[in-house]
Amino acid sequence: MPAAGPAPTAAAVKAALAGLADPARAESSAWFFKTGPGEYGDGDRFIGVRVPAQRPVARAFRGLDRAGVRDLLSSEIHEHRLTGLLLLRSGFERAHSESDRREWVQCYLDAVFEGRVDNWDLVDSSAPYILGESLVGGDHSLLFELVAEVDLWRRRVAVLATHAFIKRGDGTTLLELAPLILDDRRDLIQKAVGWMLRETGKRVDRAVLLDFLEQHAAEMGRTALSYATEHLAGEQRKYFREMR
Protein backbone atom coordinates (compact mmCIF):
# COMPACT_ATOMS: atom_id res chain seq x y z
CA MET A 1 0.00 0.00 0.00
CA PRO A 2 1.46 3.41 -0.95
CA ALA A 3 2.32 5.75 1.89
CA ALA A 4 -0.27 8.37 2.71
CA GLY A 5 0.55 11.92 1.68
CA PRO A 6 1.19 14.69 4.19
CA ALA A 7 -1.79 15.82 6.21
CA PRO A 8 -3.40 19.02 4.87
CA THR A 9 -2.62 22.21 6.76
CA ALA A 10 -4.17 25.65 6.99
CA ALA A 11 -0.90 27.15 5.79
CA ALA A 12 -1.06 25.05 2.62
CA VAL A 13 -4.66 26.13 2.00
CA LYS A 14 -3.66 29.79 2.36
CA ALA A 15 -0.74 29.29 0.00
CA ALA A 16 -2.99 27.67 -2.60
CA LEU A 17 -5.43 30.59 -2.38
CA ALA A 18 -2.58 33.10 -2.59
CA GLY A 19 -1.58 31.50 -5.89
CA LEU A 20 -5.02 32.31 -7.28
CA ALA A 21 -5.23 35.86 -5.94
CA ASP A 22 -6.22 38.70 -8.26
CA PRO A 23 -5.79 42.27 -6.91
CA ALA A 24 -8.33 43.71 -9.35
CA ARG A 25 -10.95 41.17 -8.27
CA ALA A 26 -10.09 41.85 -4.64
CA GLU A 27 -10.92 45.52 -5.14
CA SER A 28 -14.19 44.62 -6.88
CA SER A 29 -15.13 42.14 -4.13
CA ALA A 30 -14.45 44.72 -1.42
CA TRP A 31 -16.96 47.01 -3.12
CA PHE A 32 -19.52 44.25 -3.78
CA PHE A 33 -19.48 42.96 -0.21
CA LYS A 34 -19.82 46.45 1.28
CA THR A 35 -16.57 46.71 3.25
CA GLY A 36 -16.58 50.49 3.63
CA PRO A 37 -16.88 52.24 7.01
CA GLY A 38 -20.30 51.64 8.53
CA GLU A 39 -21.32 49.10 5.88
CA TYR A 40 -22.25 45.54 6.78
CA GLY A 41 -18.85 44.17 5.69
CA ASP A 42 -16.90 46.99 7.31
CA GLY A 43 -13.18 46.15 7.40
CA ASP A 44 -13.34 42.78 5.62
CA ARG A 45 -10.30 42.04 3.45
CA PHE A 46 -10.16 40.20 0.12
CA ILE A 47 -7.34 38.78 -1.96
CA GLY A 48 -9.51 38.24 -5.05
CA VAL A 49 -10.28 34.53 -5.47
CA ARG A 50 -13.57 33.63 -7.11
CA VAL A 51 -15.84 31.13 -5.32
CA PRO A 52 -15.66 28.60 -8.20
CA ALA A 53 -11.87 28.63 -7.77
CA GLN A 54 -12.14 28.18 -4.00
CA ARG A 55 -14.20 25.00 -4.25
CA PRO A 56 -11.43 22.93 -5.92
CA VAL A 57 -9.02 24.18 -3.26
CA ALA A 58 -11.42 22.96 -0.57
CA ARG A 59 -11.69 19.59 -2.32
CA ALA A 60 -7.91 19.31 -2.61
CA PHE A 61 -7.47 19.87 1.13
CA ARG A 62 -10.46 17.84 2.26
CA GLY A 63 -9.60 16.19 5.54
CA LEU A 64 -8.15 19.32 7.15
CA ASP A 65 -8.68 18.89 10.87
CA ARG A 66 -10.72 21.18 13.10
CA ALA A 67 -7.63 23.03 14.33
CA GLY A 68 -6.76 23.88 10.73
CA VAL A 69 -10.33 24.93 9.96
CA ARG A 70 -10.34 27.18 13.04
CA ASP A 71 -7.09 28.73 11.81
CA LEU A 72 -8.73 29.60 8.49
CA LEU A 73 -11.86 30.94 10.18
CA SER A 74 -9.78 33.21 12.41
CA SER A 75 -8.19 34.88 9.37
CA GLU A 76 -8.89 38.48 8.40
CA ILE A 77 -9.02 37.33 4.76
CA HIS A 78 -12.53 36.65 3.51
CA GLU A 79 -11.50 33.87 1.13
CA HIS A 80 -9.70 32.04 3.93
CA ARG A 81 -12.90 32.05 5.99
CA LEU A 82 -15.10 30.94 3.10
CA THR A 83 -12.75 28.09 2.18
CA GLY A 84 -12.62 27.22 5.87
CA LEU A 85 -16.40 26.96 5.92
CA LEU A 86 -16.38 24.74 2.83
CA LEU A 87 -13.91 22.47 4.61
CA LEU A 88 -15.98 22.56 7.80
CA ARG A 89 -19.03 21.48 5.83
CA SER A 90 -17.01 18.65 4.30
CA GLY A 91 -15.83 17.53 7.73
CA PHE A 92 -19.38 17.60 9.05
CA GLU A 93 -20.76 15.63 6.10
CA ARG A 94 -17.96 13.05 6.28
CA ALA A 95 -18.00 12.69 10.08
CA HIS A 96 -17.39 9.08 11.13
CA SER A 97 -19.51 9.22 14.30
CA GLU A 98 -22.25 11.24 15.95
CA SER A 99 -19.75 12.69 18.43
CA ASP A 100 -17.47 13.75 15.56
CA ARG A 101 -20.47 15.34 13.84
CA ARG A 102 -21.31 17.28 17.01
CA GLU A 103 -17.72 18.51 17.24
CA TRP A 104 -17.93 19.93 13.73
CA VAL A 105 -21.21 21.65 14.56
CA GLN A 106 -19.66 23.15 17.70
CA CYS A 107 -16.74 24.36 15.59
CA TYR A 108 -19.26 26.12 13.36
CA LEU A 109 -21.18 27.64 16.27
CA ASP A 110 -17.94 28.89 17.81
CA ALA A 111 -17.18 30.68 14.54
CA VAL A 112 -20.69 32.17 14.44
CA PHE A 113 -20.50 33.46 18.03
CA GLU A 114 -16.96 34.76 17.52
CA GLY A 115 -18.15 36.83 14.55
CA ARG A 116 -16.20 34.90 11.92
CA VAL A 117 -19.27 34.03 9.79
CA ASP A 118 -19.80 37.67 9.02
CA ASN A 119 -21.02 38.22 5.49
CA TRP A 120 -24.01 36.96 3.57
CA ASP A 121 -22.07 34.56 1.35
CA LEU A 122 -20.40 33.00 4.38
CA VAL A 123 -23.78 32.50 6.05
CA ASP A 124 -25.59 31.23 2.98
CA SER A 125 -22.90 28.68 2.08
CA SER A 126 -22.86 27.20 5.58
CA ALA A 127 -25.95 27.71 7.74
CA PRO A 128 -28.37 25.38 5.90
CA TYR A 129 -25.75 22.70 5.27
CA ILE A 130 -24.16 22.55 8.72
CA LEU A 131 -26.40 23.98 11.43
CA GLY A 132 -29.69 23.30 9.66
CA GLU A 133 -28.78 19.73 8.73
CA SER A 134 -27.58 19.05 12.27
CA LEU A 135 -31.00 20.04 13.64
CA VAL A 136 -33.17 18.02 11.26
CA GLY A 137 -35.50 15.89 13.34
CA GLY A 138 -34.29 17.48 16.57
CA ASP A 139 -34.71 20.48 18.85
CA HIS A 140 -34.77 23.82 16.98
CA SER A 141 -34.68 26.07 20.07
CA LEU A 142 -31.15 27.25 19.25
CA LEU A 143 -32.50 29.04 16.19
CA PHE A 144 -34.91 31.02 18.35
CA GLU A 145 -32.02 31.98 20.62
CA LEU A 146 -30.06 33.24 17.61
CA VAL A 147 -33.03 35.21 16.28
CA ALA A 148 -33.56 36.81 19.69
CA GLU A 149 -30.17 38.50 19.31
CA VAL A 150 -29.80 41.78 17.45
CA ASP A 151 -26.66 40.66 15.64
CA LEU A 152 -27.27 40.68 11.87
CA TRP A 153 -25.31 37.54 11.07
CA ARG A 154 -26.67 35.38 13.90
CA ARG A 155 -30.19 36.23 12.81
CA ARG A 156 -29.41 35.42 9.18
CA VAL A 157 -27.78 32.12 10.23
CA ALA A 158 -30.99 31.16 12.07
CA VAL A 159 -33.25 32.05 9.14
CA LEU A 160 -31.09 30.34 6.50
CA ALA A 161 -30.72 27.22 8.66
CA THR A 162 -34.46 26.62 8.23
CA HIS A 163 -33.85 25.87 4.56
CA ALA A 164 -32.73 22.38 5.60
CA PHE A 165 -36.22 21.75 7.01
CA ILE A 166 -38.08 23.52 4.21
CA LYS A 167 -36.37 21.28 1.62
CA ARG A 168 -37.89 18.33 3.47
CA GLY A 169 -41.37 19.83 3.34
CA ASP A 170 -41.41 21.36 6.83
CA GLY A 171 -41.88 25.12 7.05
CA THR A 172 -43.00 25.15 10.68
CA THR A 173 -39.85 26.61 12.22
CA LEU A 174 -39.51 29.33 9.61
CA LEU A 175 -43.14 30.34 10.07
CA GLU A 176 -42.56 30.63 13.82
CA LEU A 177 -39.28 32.52 13.47
CA ALA A 178 -40.32 35.01 10.81
CA PRO A 179 -42.88 37.00 12.82
CA LEU A 180 -40.25 37.61 15.51
CA ILE A 181 -38.08 39.64 13.13
CA LEU A 182 -40.52 41.16 10.66
CA ASP A 183 -39.77 44.56 12.19
CA ASP A 184 -36.04 44.17 11.39
CA ARG A 185 -35.72 46.37 8.32
CA ARG A 186 -32.07 45.57 7.62
CA ASP A 187 -31.81 44.59 3.99
CA LEU A 188 -30.04 41.27 4.56
CA ILE A 189 -32.65 40.15 7.09
CA GLN A 190 -35.50 41.27 4.85
CA LYS A 191 -34.07 39.31 1.93
CA ALA A 192 -33.43 36.20 4.04
CA VAL A 193 -36.95 36.11 5.49
CA GLY A 194 -38.61 36.79 2.14
CA TRP A 195 -36.45 34.18 0.40
CA MET A 196 -37.27 31.45 2.93
CA LEU A 197 -40.99 32.33 2.80
CA ARG A 198 -40.86 32.03 -0.98
CA GLU A 199 -39.13 28.64 -0.61
CA THR A 200 -41.88 27.57 1.78
CA GLY A 201 -44.48 28.39 -0.84
CA LYS A 202 -42.55 26.44 -3.48
CA ARG A 203 -41.39 23.41 -1.49
CA VAL A 204 -43.94 23.00 1.30
CA ASP A 205 -47.35 24.35 0.28
CA ARG A 206 -48.38 27.55 -1.46
CA ALA A 207 -51.48 27.67 0.74
CA VAL A 208 -49.22 27.84 3.80
CA LEU A 209 -47.41 30.86 2.34
CA LEU A 210 -50.68 32.56 1.42
CA ASP A 211 -52.04 32.04 4.93
CA PHE A 212 -48.89 33.56 6.43
CA LEU A 213 -49.15 36.55 4.11
CA GLU A 214 -52.81 37.09 4.98
CA GLN A 215 -51.77 37.36 8.61
CA HIS A 216 -48.53 39.30 8.27
CA ALA A 217 -48.23 41.12 4.93
CA ALA A 218 -49.35 44.41 6.47
CA GLU A 219 -46.40 44.40 8.89
CA MET A 220 -43.75 43.13 6.47
CA GLY A 221 -41.07 45.33 4.98
CA ARG A 222 -41.24 46.03 1.27
CA THR A 223 -38.18 43.89 0.46
CA ALA A 224 -39.31 40.84 2.44
CA LEU A 225 -42.77 41.01 0.90
CA SER A 226 -41.35 41.42 -2.59
CA TYR A 227 -39.15 38.32 -2.19
CA ALA A 228 -41.92 36.27 -0.60
CA THR A 229 -44.43 37.03 -3.36
CA GLU A 230 -42.03 36.84 -6.31
CA HIS A 231 -43.54 33.67 -7.80
CA LEU A 232 -47.18 34.47 -7.13
CA ALA A 233 -49.55 35.56 -9.86
CA GLY A 234 -49.63 39.28 -10.60
CA GLU A 235 -53.00 39.87 -8.97
CA GLN A 236 -51.93 38.02 -5.83
CA ARG A 237 -48.74 40.06 -5.58
CA LYS A 238 -50.71 43.25 -5.99
CA TYR A 239 -53.25 42.20 -3.35
CA PHE A 240 -50.61 41.52 -0.68
CA ARG A 241 -48.49 44.55 -1.51
CA GLU A 242 -51.52 46.81 -1.16
CA MET A 243 -51.99 45.54 2.38
CA ARG A 244 -48.91 47.45 3.54
Side-chain angles (χ1 to χ4, degrees):
M1 180 180 294
T9 66
V13 174
K14 292 175 184 178
L17 292 171
L20 300 170
D22 178 345
R25 179 166 292 279
E27 184 176 347
S28 174
S29 295
W31 170 83
F32 183 75
F33 286 101
K34 309 297 183 187
T35 64
E39 295 183 306
Y40 62 73
D42 189 350
D44 206 354
R45 293 175 55 199
F46 289 80
I47 57 174
V49 184
R50 298 168 61 246
V51 175
Q54 290 179 62
R55 295 189 186 281
V57 172
R59 285 195 296 272
F61 291 95
R62 192 163 54 190
L64 182 67
D65 62 17
R66 279 185 285 274
V69 168
R70 290 190 184 98
D71 184 306
L72 293 172
L73 291 173
S74 69
S75 173
E76 296 180 353
I77 303 301
H78 187 99
E79 292 91 341
H80 292 173
R81 300 198 304 283
L82 178 53
T83 303
L85 288 168
L86 295 175
L87 285 161
L88 200 163
R89 175 183 170 183
S90 174
F92 168 76
E93 292 175 343
R94 293 158 57 87
H96 53 75
S97 67
E98 187 56 34
S99 62
D100 189 33
R101 197 169 185 259
R102 286 195 299 268
E103 287 291 334
W104 282 111
V105 175
Q106 188 58 55
C107 183
Y108 180 68
L109 289 173
D110 289 345
V112 170
F113 283 107
E114 290 165 7
R116 312 312 298 166
V117 187
D118 58 350
N119 216 310
W120 60 263
D121 62 323
L122 303 179
V123 172
D124 298 6
S125 63
S126 61
Y129 310 107
I130 302 167
L131 183 57
E133 287 294 329
S134 77
L135 297 176
V136 169
D139 180 5
H140 298 175
S141 59
L142 174 59
L143 302 186
F144 290 87
E145 294 173 21
L146 289 169
V147 155
E149 301 198 33
V150 177
D151 182 81
L152 170 64
W153 305 118
R154 295 179 193 178
R155 283 190 167 185
R156 189 168 172 109
V157 163
V159 174
L160 265 292
T162 67
H163 201 208
F165 322 141
I166 292 167
K167 287 188 295 186
R168 291 170 168 83
D170 179 8
T172 306
T173 301
L174 184 276
L175 296 175
E176 293 176 1
L177 283 175
L180 303 176
I181 52 174
L182 287 182
D183 61 347
D184 190 333
R185 293 299 196 254
R186 289 177 291 187
D187 190 54
L188 290 175
I189 298 300
Q190 290 276 304
K191 289 178 177 178
V193 171
W195 175 19
M196 289 301 103
L197 286 171
R198 184 180 72 217
E199 287 295 296
T200 299
K202 289 169 58 180
R203 294 173 178 266
V204 180
D205 189 335
R206 179 161 293 195
V208 170
L209 170 62
L210 296 177
D211 182 62
F212 181 92
L213 294 173
E214 285 285 357
Q215 296 180 58
H216 297 288
E219 60 189 292
M220 292 174 69
R222 187 180 303 277
T223 299
L225 188 58
S226 176
Y227 271 57
T229 59
E230 189 174 77
H231 293 298
L232 299 182
E235 284 303 309
Q236 286 180 309
R237 291 199 305 273
K238 184 173 184 291
Y239 167 73
F240 288 118
R241 291 173 188 182
E242 288 179 349
M243 292 175 66
R244 295 185 69 256

